[in-house]
Structure formats: C-alpha cells, structure tokens
Amino acid sequence: MPEEKKISMAVIRRLPRYFRYLHDLIKMDIKRISSRELSERMGITASQIRQDLNCFGGFGQQGYGYNVESLFNEISRILGVDNRFSCIIIGAGNMGTALANYENFRNRGFDIIAIFDVDPRKIGGTVNGIEIMSMDSLEDFVKEHKVDIAMLTVPNTHVTEVAEKVTSLGIKGIWNFSPHELRLGNGAIIENVHLSDSLMVLGYRLRSAGY
Amino acid sequence: MPEEKKISMAVIRRLPRYFRYLHDLIKMDIKRISSRELSERMGITASQIRQDLNCFGGFGQQGYGYNVESLFNEISRILGVDNRFSCIIIGAGNMGTALANYENFRNRGFDIIAIFDVDPRKIGGTVNGIEIMSMDSLEDFVKEHKVDIAMLTVPNTHVTEVAEKVTSLGIKGIWNFSPHELRLGNGAIIENVHLSDSLMVLGYRLRSAGY
DNA sequence: TAGATTGTTAATCGATTAACAATC
DNA sequence: TAGATTGTTAATCGATTAACAATC
C-alpha cells in the first residue's frame, strides 16, 4: 500500500471521525479550518490532530490551516472511500436485515451484493433489493464474484464454522457481529462489533457514576 | 460505587472479554486457571490479566491460580450483571427491531421494557412481545417507569433532538447507534456504536494489508 | 512585514510488560 | 518442604501533549 510508516491502530480508529467531522464542515460550507478550531469541535487536542494527519502527509499550510475540502479528500483517499468493496451478509436475521437496509455503507465504498441464509423460507426473497441465497450456493457465488468482506450475523453456535468457510473460499475481511472471538489461522482481517460488550460497558459506567 | 481507585477505560473495556472467556471456561467445566493459561487463550499477556484483576481485588491464590467460578462471579459483580437496567428503544426500524430481538441482553442485566416510534403504522404493534408506543407517550411513560438507558436507533437527523429529550426526562444512559457524536451538557453517559466507522476501519485494514 | 499556524521534535503521561518477593 | 503462581513494584514502551522553529 502507498503509505510507508506503520500507522498505529489508535490513529486508524480516529480516521473515520475526522472523515465525519470534515464532511459536516463541508455541508456547513466552511472552507478552511485550523487544527485548533477542529480540536474544539471534536474535543481532542490540536496537537493530536496535527500528529495524526502528519502520519499521512503535510496537508496543511503554515499560517493558514487546512483547506477543508482538500483535507476531506485526503482522508477519503486514505480510508479508501472511493474503493469499492464487495460484501456479502451471512445470516438474514434481524441484524443482517438491518445491515442490508443501511444505505450509508454504499456511500462509504461498501456494496452488499448478496445475503446468505439456511432458512428455506427466506431463501429466494430479497431485502432492500438484495437477494437472499442458500448457504449451499455460497461457494459457487464466491467463485463467480469477487467478495472482499463477509458480514457475519449468524448465531454464535455457527460463527466459527461460517468464518472458517468464508475465509477458506478466499474472503479476506470478516465483520463479526457475534460475541465470539474469532481466531483464524489464515491472514483474514477481522473487525468485531461486540454489541453486548458495549452495552455492559455502558452499564458499568452508569453504576460507577452512581446512577 | 464500591470500587475505590480510578479504573482506566482501557481496563473497563476489557472486562466484558474476561466475562465471556470465564463464562466459556465454566461451560467447559474448567475449575481453575492460571493467568498464564488464560493469557494464552485470550491472546494477551499474563501480566496484563493480573494487573487488570488487581484493580478490583486479589481474586487469585499464589501457587494455585484463580478459581474460575469465583472469578467469574467477581467479574459479573463488577460489571453489574445482577443489576437490572430498564431500557427503552427509540426507533422501531430494522436496528431497533434487531436489538429488541436480541435475547442476550436480558442475561446481562438489561431489560427492554418498551419501544417508541413516530410511525402510526408501527405504534400499537409489538416486537418480541415488547409494545411499540408513540413518541408522544414517552414523557408519561418515563414518569411512570424508571428508565436507565435509552437505545437510540433513530435517523441521524433526529438523534440530537431525541437525545436531548430523553436526558431531559432524567434518563442517564444513552446507547447511540447513529454516526453522530452526541455532546450533551447534562451528566448523561453515552456509549456509541459507530457501525460505519467500524466498517471503514475494516476497509482500511484490508487495503493496507494489500488485499 | 507581522501574525498565524503548521510540521516536527522533545517532554510527559499512561498503559503494558517484566521481574520478583510474598505466599499458598 | 518444593514448586507454582499470585500481587505488586519497577522498567519499558507507546501514545498524547507541549513547545517552537519553519514558513506561509
């Protein structure tokens, strides 16, 4: 990949936030912004913003600040928003359906091209115009279409098996919605959404705030 | 709250992971575990485990390790799993419906007692046995029932307004599913689930791995 | 030019890891 | 007792913040 130095995960996880804030600035028709102004909006230090951005290049101008539009374009490029990632959803339950209906993903470079399930009553149907296919046809489908990401919204009991299946078919990205930790031998990249972890942290914080 | 010292967020966010792994150990009928064994399973260092646990107390025994069941109980107590949090979902769309159907939350101490929406076609219906009520009745409902947490699955355009509304009614916990950052003046505790951020990070990681 | 603000180096802070005495 | 493993202190590492020279 174009970027040279090793970027820390702490920085990477902040990139989408920059993306969002810059997008908002554009919508507000703001043309330039200094690291100080942005830091006040985002609630982080100006130093951190400058450090973060300079991981990728010098996008600002001394005495001026940053041009909002060009900075937004840089962040977009870094995040690969203009890339197209082909995604499939595995599990057409409530969460899978919610994801299939989430229009935002497409604007971020993620196309959901099929949904897979084992339930014969669901197979053949569509969600948001996307066909629900049988798990039996997964292998053929992946052979015919380049698939970058599998979004796993299957029951916990099956997630390891499904994850092994999809990675064995060459899919490199796993977006895992099960609480299970996936430990895959191959080079798959796994990003977890642990909803109950998040909720439990909220519970902890509420209790320790005394509520 | 009972715990004395200031616990860092880094530690707090690891607690649900300990909880999950210990739960699995119990299911596997494993009675005792050393920090070293647990570190191998979890893929973190034994040092970190011992440091983390000792934020809350000395739960182990030199020369023996940790009793799985009693450690699990301690973590459960710390996370407040036996607490009951009353929750409402605002927004009966796909995500709200998915959350209402997620049975796991109840086992973690979170009871979803009502769903609110503005769509007259949805109001009066139920999801997983939970009634969908009109947003107009929110205020009265909150006055009659103690509500600890509002799970916000409303469109971006309304999330700030809704968040202000629920916190003004005295609800202290916000579980925010919109990409919007909520900045609330009052002492509300906000926990965000930024799905598209997570997906964009996955995209970044895939690209930088060269896939 | 003078003022502003970056890019970048240095200082600080916090979190992780290592080490080991205490002790079961 | 001898061996194992904790609890805890010290060392290291990395991330954040501060400072300031470079420069627009």
Side-chain angles (χ1 to χ4, degrees), chain A residues 1 17 20 41 77-78 83 110 175 179 181 183 187 190-191 195 197-199 205 207-208 211, chain B residues 1 17 20 41 77-78 83 175 179 181 183 187 190-191 195 197-199 205 207-208 211:
Chain A
M1 277 288 89
R17 270 192 94 217
R20 278 190 277 116
R41 286 175 185 276
R77 186 188 53 75
I78 292 163
N83 266 50
F110 301 89
W175 204 24
E181 223 89 342
R183 204 82 75 81
I190 301 165
E191 189 72 20
L195 290 183
D197 284 21
S198 169
L199 188 54
R205 293 174 61 203
R207 291 200 332 133
S208 65
Y211 296 139
Chain B
M1 275 289 91
R17 270 192 92 218
R20 279 190 274 114
R41 284 174 187 276
R77 185 188 53 76
I78 292 163
N83 266 49
W175 205 25
E181 223 88 341
R183 204 83 74 82
I190 301 164
E191 190 71 22
L195 290 183
D197 284 20
S198 168
L199 188 54
R205 293 174 61 203
R207 290 198 336 132
S208 64
Y211 296 139

Side-chain angles (χ1 to χ4, degrees), chain B residues 143-175:
Chain B
K143 276 179 189 152
E144 278 159 38
H145 303 76
K146 166 178 148 315
V147 177
D148 302 299
I149 292 170
M151 304 172 166
L152 306 188
T153 63
V154 297
N156 304 345
T157 41
H158 291 78
V159 71
T160 309
E161 172 202 335
V162 170
E164 276 161 7
K165 172 96 177 176
V166 297
T167 50
S168 77
L169 296 175
I171 296 175
K172 293 300 184 188
I174 300 279
W175 205 25

Side-chain angles (χ1 to χ4, degrees), chain A residues 1-3 7 9 12-17 19-21 24 27 39-43 56 77-81 83 85 87 94-95 97-99 101-102 104-105 108 110 148-151 156 172-175 177-181 183 186-211, chain B residues 1-3 7 9 12-17 19-21 24 27 39-43 56 77-81 83 85 87 94-95 97-99 101-102 104-105 108 110 148-151 156 172-175 177-181 183 186-211:
Chain A
M1 277 288 89
E3 277 72 43
I7 312 291
M9 267 310 242
I12 294 167
R13 295 203 177 281
R14 276 193 294 270
L15 292 175
R17 270 192 94 217
F19 177 86
R20 278 190 277 116
Y21 272 88
D24 288 350
K27 277 191 293 189
S39 79
E40 280 161 14
R41 286 175 185 276
M42 295 183 66
F56 303 98
R77 186 188 53 75
I78 292 163
L79 279 169
V81 169
N83 266 50
F85 290 100
C87 309
N94 292 291
M95 183 58 71
T97 305
L99 295 180
N101 278 291
Y102 212 72
N104 242 2
F105 297 154
R108 301 279 187 276
F110 301 89
D148 302 299
I149 291 170
M151 303 172 167
N156 303 347
K172 293 298 184 188
I174 300 279
W175 204 24
F177 280 76
S178 96
H180 253 269
E181 223 89 342
R183 204 82 75 81
N186 44 51
I189 310 278
I190 301 165
E191 189 72 20
N192 293 304
V193 178
H194 287 325
L195 290 183
S196 32
D197 284 21
S198 169
L199 188 54
M200 288 173 91
V201 169
L202 178 56
Y204 178 92
R205 293 174 61 203
L206 278 171
R207 291 200 332 133
S208 65
Y211 296 139
Chain B
M1 275 289 91
E3 275 72 43
I7 311 293
M9 267 309 241
I12 294 168
R13 294 201 178 281
R14 276 194 293 271
L15 292 176
R17 270 192 92 218
F19 178 84
R20 279 190 274 114
Y21 272 88
D24 288 350
K27 277 192 293 191
S39 80
E40 282 162 13
R41 284 174 187 276
M42 295 183 67
F56 303 98
R77 185 188 53 76
I78 292 163
L79 279 168
V81 170
N83 266 49
F85 289 101
C87 309
N94 293 291
M95 184 57 72
T97 305
L99 296 181
N101 277 291
Y102 213 71
N104 242 1
F105 298 153
R108 302 280 185 275
F110 301 89
D148 302 299
I149 292 170
M151 304 172 166
N156 304 345
K172 293 300 184 188
I174 300 279
W175 205 25
F177 280 76
S178 98
H180 254 269
E181 223 88 341
R183 204 83 74 82
N186 44 50
I189 310 277
I190 301 164
E191 190 71 22
N192 293 304
V193 178
H194 287 326
L195 290 183
S196 33
D197 284 20
S198 168
L199 188 54
M200 288 173 90
V201 168
L202 178 57
Y204 178 92
R205 293 174 61 203
L206 278 170
R207 290 198 336 132
S208 64
Y211 296 139

Side-chain angles (χ1 to χ4, degrees), chain B residues 83-123:
Chain B
N83 266 49
R84 300 315 300 175
F85 289 101
S86 291
C87 309
I88 57 174
I89 295 171
I90 307 202
N94 293 291
M95 184 57 72
T97 305
L99 296 181
N101 277 291
Y102 213 71
E103 297 300 340
N104 242 1
F105 298 153
R106 199 173 297 276
N107 310 328
R108 302 280 185 275
F110 301 89
D111 296 311
I112 298 167
I113 59 173
I115 306 171
F116 293 87
D117 204 294
V118 291
D119 185 343
R121 287 166 300 176
K122 289 177 179 171
I123 294 164

Side-chain angles (χ1 to χ4, degrees), chain B residues 22-38:
Chain B
L22 288 164
H23 192 74
D24 288 350
L25 289 175
I26 287 175
K27 277 192 293 191
M28 285 184 269
D29 221 40
I30 292 171
K31 300 296 184 194
R32 58 174 269 201
I33 194 149
S34 68
S35 56
R36 190 186 49 72
E37 280 173 84
L38 188 56

